Amino acid sequence: MTTTFPDVSISTDRLVLRPFEEEDVSALTAMMNDELITAWTRAPHPYTRADAHAWATRDAHAVRTGGRGIIFAVTEFLTHRLVGAVHVRNTDWRCLSVEMDYVTAPWARGEGYACESTLAVAHWLFRDHGFERLELRTAADNTAAQQVAQKIGCISEGVLRNAWIVRTQMPDGRWADTRTDLLVWGLVPEDLDDLDVLDGYGEFHVVDEPVVDPVRDPVRDPVRDPVREPVNEPVNEPAKAAPDTSPDDAAHDQRPAVHGHAAGADRT
């Protein structure tokens, strides 16, 4: 029985999901210091360059090689800019079920990247690896994350009371912990069959080697190699005047997603 995911990249019309690299450190540091990501996830605060370096060069890769899941850096296909992360975690290889967290960079919100990237990973898990269940968990007040879960076809399955800690920024700038409920969302293969959730997101492809930029290497089509390819993301504003974000702009699930912390930030 396979107990580790392959080292792959997943591409959509607009995005490339690939392993983290050392070159991502600066953008990762900036992304994880966003107020909404601080509010809704377990990411260290402040999130230092050393945190980002350890994550991009060691910790994120250890998740896959250790059989616990897989973590993708989400980048724009045309610009190569880091725009988020998707973390597949708590993998149960016998039941073929996983949990998913994700975050979206503040500079990339409102583009639909959260839905596009999580759908690509979901399809990859269901169609290429035979998984039967994907679960997302969102804080009760994180309406942005809840909207993303709904848009990708998840079904609301219940509430875990007092199961999560969010951060609220105080008037003096300090962050205080506040307990909250978690909403549980489930996605199974039939949910994607029943919903037209792929409209507008194009095709998904998986490659077992780095995606090549057609501008730098016109001989190769980055999405030609193949195989196919699918919360936690947004967030509602924290209890402080955090920057106004659209319903799926913030940080989704609430458990370690990127760097042992929860995921999610972006607009679907």
Side-chain angles (χ1 to χ4, degrees):
M1 177 177 69
T2 299
T3 57
T4 58
F5 288 110
D7 191 10
V8 301
S9 294
I10 300 172
S11 64
T12 69
D13 284 350
R14 303 185 299 166
L15 303 173
V16 175
L17 284 67
R18 56 158 175 78
F20 270 94
E21 304 169 347
E22 187 169 6
E23 290 70 22
D24 297 318
V25 169
S26 294
L28 179 60
T29 303
M31 178 174 75
M32 298 308 296
N33 277 300
D34 173 64
E35 288 185 340
L36 290 178
I37 293 179
T38 298
W40 296 104
T41 77
R42 287 180 178 170
H45 182 75
Y47 195 91
T48 67
R49 188 175 179 84
D51 291 328
H53 187 273
W55 183 253
T57 62
R58 183 190 66 212
D59 299 344
H61 302 279
V63 170
R64 186 190 68 81
T65 58
R68 302 190 302 276
I70 188 169
I71 296 171
F72 294 102
V74 181
T75 64
E76 288 179 328
F77 173 68
L78 293 178
T79 67
H80 307 289
R81 179 178 62 164
L82 181 71
V83 295
V86 174
H87 185 165
V88 174
R89 59 195 299 279
N90 286 355
T91 305
D92 186 325
W93 293 99
R94 182 169 182 271
C95 291
L96 294 175
S97 65
V98 298
E99 296 178 30
M100 183 187 293
D101 299 333
Y102 54 84
V103 295
T104 301
W107 54 83
R109 293 175 186 157
E111 300 294 334
Y113 290 158
C115 284
E116 188 168 339
S117 58
T118 53
L119 276 173
V121 174
H123 278 281
W124 176 66
L125 289 168
F126 291 157
R127 300 198 298 201
D128 293 356
H129 295 285
F131 274 74
E132 296 293 341
R133 174 179 172 80
L134 186 156
E135 183 176 301
L136 289 75
R137 299 181 181 188
T138 63
D141 292 332
N142 188 346
T143 58
Q146 294 159 26
Q147 289 183 13
V148 169
Q150 292 173 330
K151 288 179 180 179
I152 68 172
C154 291
I155 303 300
S156 178
E157 297 180 336
V159 178
L160 298 177
R161 296 181 299 165
N162 287 345
W164 188 244
I165 299 291
V166 297
R167 296 174 179 134
T168 301
Q169 194 163 24
M170 310 303 288
D172 63 2
R174 292 181 301 107
W175 290 90
D177 290 344
T178 303
R179 186 166 292 279
T180 187
D181 297 341
L182 283 178
L183 304 187
V184 179
W185 302 84
L187 187 70
V188 298
E190 308 86 82
D191 295 330
L192 296 186
D193 292 338
D194 295 341
L195 289 177
D196 227 1
V197 293
L198 294 183
D199 283 354
Y201 293 111
E203 297 296 324
F204 304 96
H205 305 272
V206 173
V207 296
D208 57 7
E209 58 186 50
V211 174
V212 176
D213 183 346
V215 174
R216 299 174 182 169
D217 183 3
V219 176
R220 208 167 150 255
D221 178 355
V223 297
R224 182 194 63 190
D225 290 282
V227 205
R228 307 131 7 193
E229 65 335 323
V231 137
N232 272 358
E233 176 250 95
V235 175
N236 216 355
E237 291 185 23
K240 158 205 167 189
D244 184 38
T245 65
S246 150
D248 37 10
D249 265 337
H252 116 115
D253 171 15
Q254 325 314 320
R255 271 101 19 87
V258 162
H259 219 94
H261 23 76
D266 160 64
R267 288 177 202 183
T268 139

